[in-house]
Amino acid sequence: MELPLGTTTFLLHEGDCVAGMRGDLKEGEVDVVVTSPPYNLGVDYSGYDDGQERDEYLEWSREWAAEVKRVLADEGSLFLNVGASPKNPLLPHQLALLFSEFFVLQNTFHWVKSITVERRDGEQVSAGHFKPINSKRFVTDLHEPVFHFTKKGDVPLDRLALGVPYQDKSNIGRWEHTEGKDLRCRGNTWFIPYQTIQSRAGERPHPATFPVQLAEWCVRLTGRDAAKLTMMDPFLGIGHAAVAAENLGVGRFMGYEIDAGYLAVACEKVGVRG
């Protein structure tokens, strides 16, 4: 289905992303990909078996990675969010190594879901949400990596698109690169908590989503004119990347989802009627 809504044209497809990309997309057609594939950690998806043999899973990942490379523009960016589990901590790194067969790893961001910091006066402040675990071996995992891949590793970014004010204002005059502005690079640690919800079934009926804000930050960091971008999420889920595209005024958004129920939720979120 394809409908222009506001400034964004959505093309949301039910079906396998590898077959979809092969049939629908030309070489170099996509400017930015923000996605989070199934983690193969036994997540309880509605219609997908998330427990493949490791070699089978990696071979499938190699297949869709090759297609993303084909459709990604030379100056394009792929932002790949992959989680882990205490019993399977190497998965994100294995995928990163696999994707390095096709791309250059240009940046690695750490999506922090919850954090505790100690103020200068000694007060400890906690923020964010997390799912606690009951274990005598492992600590609670509060972050996931987001790997930024490009074809050659030399794609320009707008470092200050996500800029934050200096804590020590004397740095503004001390460093020439500030040009007198109270704005510095946020760096590669991104604190983005989940929004509080009352009902998972009603508000977030998907077991493994990333926040809309995470996708927005990825797109903003590219520094590109959103209205001229073609964005894609080959694992659309319930459409958080699509919502981010709509919020930013991305010109064209494409998504693939094999689960009809998840796709219906995604379509509803951006107002597409199939």
Side-chain angles (χ1 to χ4, degrees):
M1 59 194 73
E2 176 175 354
L3 283 176
L5 297 167
T7 58
T8 303
T9 296
F10 289 95
L11 298 91
L12 308 182
H13 304 277
E14 180 182 350
D16 175 74
C17 67
V18 175
M21 286 187 282
R22 286 174 179 168
D24 300 334
L25 303 180
K26 298 178 295 185
E27 183 175 339
E29 186 174 348
V30 177
D31 299 300
V32 59
V33 177
V34 181
T35 196
S36 185
Y39 298 165
N40 205 43
L41 299 176
V43 175
D44 187 18
Y45 293 103
S46 174
Y48 170 77
D49 179 9
D50 194 44
Q52 301 179 53
E53 293 295 328
R54 177 55 58 92
D55 290 345
E56 181 183 357
Y57 174 77
L58 292 176
E59 185 55 38
W60 169 74
S61 299
R62 182 174 284 106
E63 189 176 10
W64 73 261
E67 275 305 302
V68 170
K69 180 181 180 181
R70 182 185 67 83
V71 304
L72 190 67
D74 289 342
E75 293 297 308
S77 287
L78 162 63
F79 295 91
L80 176 65
N81 165 227
V82 187
S85 74
K87 294 182 179 180
N88 195 359
L90 292 178
L91 176 64
H93 310 288
Q94 287 179 308
L95 275 185
L97 287 173
L98 184 152
F99 271 70
S100 296
E101 298 175 15
F102 303 93
F103 303 94
V104 175
L105 180 59
Q106 186 166 323
N107 290 283
T108 300
F109 301 97
H110 303 275
W111 164 31
V112 179
K113 305 173 185 180
S114 178
I115 193 169
T116 299
V117 298
E118 184 171 328
R119 299 183 184 273
R120 290 178 177 178
D121 61 7
E123 179 187 6
Q124 291 193 354
V125 179
S126 296
H129 307 279
F130 63 91
K131 182 178 180 180
I133 63 172
N134 183 16
S135 173
K136 293 183 178 180
R137 292 191 294 156
F138 306 116
V139 299
T140 302
D141 193 357
L142 303 181
H143 92 291
E144 292 184 11
V146 179
F147 300 112
H148 172 221
F149 288 104
T150 59
K151 287 190 172 181
K152 296 182 179 180
D154 59 356
V155 173
L157 299 175
D158 183 357
R159 289 157 39 89
L160 298 184
L162 306 178
V164 295
Y166 283 94
Q167 179 174 325
D168 184 348
K169 304 304 181 185
S170 66
N171 286 321
I172 302 172
R174 181 180 298 126
W175 304 111
E176 292 184 4
H177 69 265
T178 68
E179 297 180 347
K181 299 177 182 178
D182 186 10
L183 197 66
R184 67 166 178 83
C185 176
R186 181 181 295 269
N188 65 355
T189 302
W190 293 357
F191 172 56
I192 304 177
Y194 281 112
Q195 288 186 339
T196 301
I197 60 175
Q198 302 302 317
S199 168
R200 170 172 286 278
E203 298 176 65
R204 200 159 63 217
H206 189 286
T209 60
F210 51 67
V212 171
Q213 186 179 2
L214 181 68
E216 290 181 356
W217 282 15
C218 291
V219 177
R220 288 175 55 195
L221 187 67
T222 68
R224 307 277 294 276
D225 182 350
K228 297 179 180 178
L229 290 178
T230 293
M231 178 179 173
M232 181 179 70
D233 184 351
F235 303 97
L236 182 63
I238 58 174
H240 284 189
V243 174
E246 184 176 41
N247 291 347
L248 296 174
V250 168
R252 186 168 174 246
F253 179 90
M254 294 177 288
Y256 296 91
E257 175 54 50
I258 62 172
D259 188 289
Y262 294 155
L263 180 62
V265 175
C267 289
E268 183 178 0
K269 285 181 177 291
V270 293
V272 170
R273 296 293 180 264

